[in-house]
Amino acid sequence: MRDEAEIRGHRRTYIGARRGQIVQGLRRAESKNPVFILDEIDKLGSDFRGDPASALLEVLDPEQNNTFRDHYLDVPFDLSEVLFITTANVLDPVPPALRDRMEVLELPGYTEEEKLEIAGEHLVAKQVKNHGLDADHIEFTDDAGTDRHPELHARGRGPELERELGALCRKVARRRAEGREDKVVISPDTVAEMLGAPRFLEEEIEERTSKPGVAIGLAWTRQAATCCSSRRREGGHRDPDAHRAPR
């Protein structure tokens, strides 16, 4: 969101003026105390069209939102009874003044086992249906995604797992379009054949730590983490090749 008018609305002097999203949402909900969910508030921008963060400050601040003024309506409106829930992938880009008006709840990311459970319960059935397949055309074994998990965990994002499943379903759909009607069982070997070898291997850490003089470090962000290794050569000089971060 980059346009302040998305929140405060346009003044009626402009052609095509309309109410802001807050007032429009209240009208659709037909209530003065609904629950608003503002997704990815860390993606706010600021340019010549205004600063949405300052407009949101007026909306979220309990000391100000009882007299919120939409430019289109041009009358004060009480937002103190509205419950606002915002989401953000990273908290750092959120302006400090806006962050002070929020109660921050940090939710940890998914582990590899949780990703596998989500895939089995939700993502597999969704992708199979979206690609016009059914249980007679494709079947996933329980360990089908095991060798892909280091790669998915390194990226730290659930959508990457869904894209991998979609790619497998597209491969099977193409086989059927070419006239091969046999059922495809997705196993670790089938995954490697269709998608190629995994880009990240857990064995790499084991291989590096087997050499004497290698120290292991951890690089961490809010989205993912990875292990780094460092080794010194004889004479005290660091080995540049050993510092490359395995994922």
Side-chain angles (χ1 to χ4, degrees):
M1 181 183 295
R2 297 181 178 274
D3 193 353
E4 183 180 345
E6 290 289 330
I7 300 172
R8 288 200 174 117
H10 302 83
R11 300 187 186 277
R12 295 194 181 190
T13 54
Y14 294 101
I15 298 176
R18 58 181 180 176
R19 293 173 290 271
Q21 293 294 332
I22 301 297
V23 174
Q24 289 187 41
L26 290 170
R27 182 182 179 184
R28 288 192 296 267
E30 298 182 354
S31 173
K32 65 177 299 186
N33 59 347
V35 177
F36 268 85
I37 298 181
L38 308 177
D39 192 24
E40 295 189 344
I41 200 173
D42 53 327
K43 302 295 192 299
L44 289 175
S46 179
D47 56 19
F48 66 93
R49 290 171 289 186
D51 183 11
S54 63
L56 275 178
L57 185 62
E58 183 181 345
V59 170
L60 300 178
D61 189 356
E63 300 296 331
Q64 303 181 50
N65 62 7
N66 58 346
T67 57
F68 173 75
R69 185 180 293 270
D70 186 275
H71 289 163
Y72 187 87
L73 299 179
D74 202 24
V75 293
F77 191 89
D78 187 3
L79 296 177
S80 59
E81 298 183 22
V82 180
L83 176 61
F84 291 96
I85 300 176
T86 65
T87 66
N89 295 323
V90 182
L91 196 59
D92 297 335
V94 180
L98 196 59
R99 198 184 315 162
D100 290 341
R101 270 71 177 182
M102 303 178 184
E103 181 179 352
V104 180
L105 303 176
E106 296 190 6
L107 304 178
Y110 297 116
T111 63
E112 296 183 20
E113 291 76 13
E114 289 172 335
K115 289 180 181 180
L116 185 59
E117 186 69 22
I118 291 172
E121 293 291 334
H122 305 285
L123 301 183
V124 169
K126 176 183 175 182
Q127 290 298 325
V128 169
K129 181 180 178 181
N130 289 347
H131 289 83
L133 304 173
D134 55 38
D136 296 332
H137 305 148
I138 185 171
E139 178 185 348
F140 286 81
T141 62
D142 293 337
D143 59 345
T146 303
D147 62 337
R148 314 296 291 191
H149 272 200
E151 177 177 346
L152 303 178
H153 189 65
R155 293 175 180 267
R157 301 193 306 167
E160 179 66 24
L161 177 57
E162 188 169 4
R163 281 192 288 270
E164 295 263 0
L165 293 173
L168 290 171
C169 291
R170 285 191 294 275
K171 295 278 188 179
V172 176
R174 179 178 177 180
R175 287 167 58 95
R176 293 187 60 80
E178 293 173 349
R180 289 179 282 181
E181 301 288 339
D182 53 313
K183 182 177 181 178
V184 178
V185 178
I186 304 298
S187 63
D189 294 336
T190 311
V191 171
E193 177 186 348
M194 290 185 171
L195 301 182
R199 283 168 281 183
F200 308 120
L201 298 174
E202 288 181 328
E203 293 79 6
E204 190 173 357
I205 298 177
E206 221 176 286
E207 179 185 349
R208 289 178 178 273
T209 53
S210 63
K211 301 176 182 178
V214 176
I216 299 297
L218 179 66
W220 176 88
T221 68
R222 291 183 180 271
Q223 294 184 337
T226 184
C227 291
C228 307
S229 62
S230 179
R231 183 177 72 247
R232 289 189 173 274
R233 297 175 177 174
E234 294 182 4
H237 298 290
R238 182 178 62 83
D239 186 351
D241 296 333
H243 190 65
R244 184 170 60 87
R247 299 183 178 179

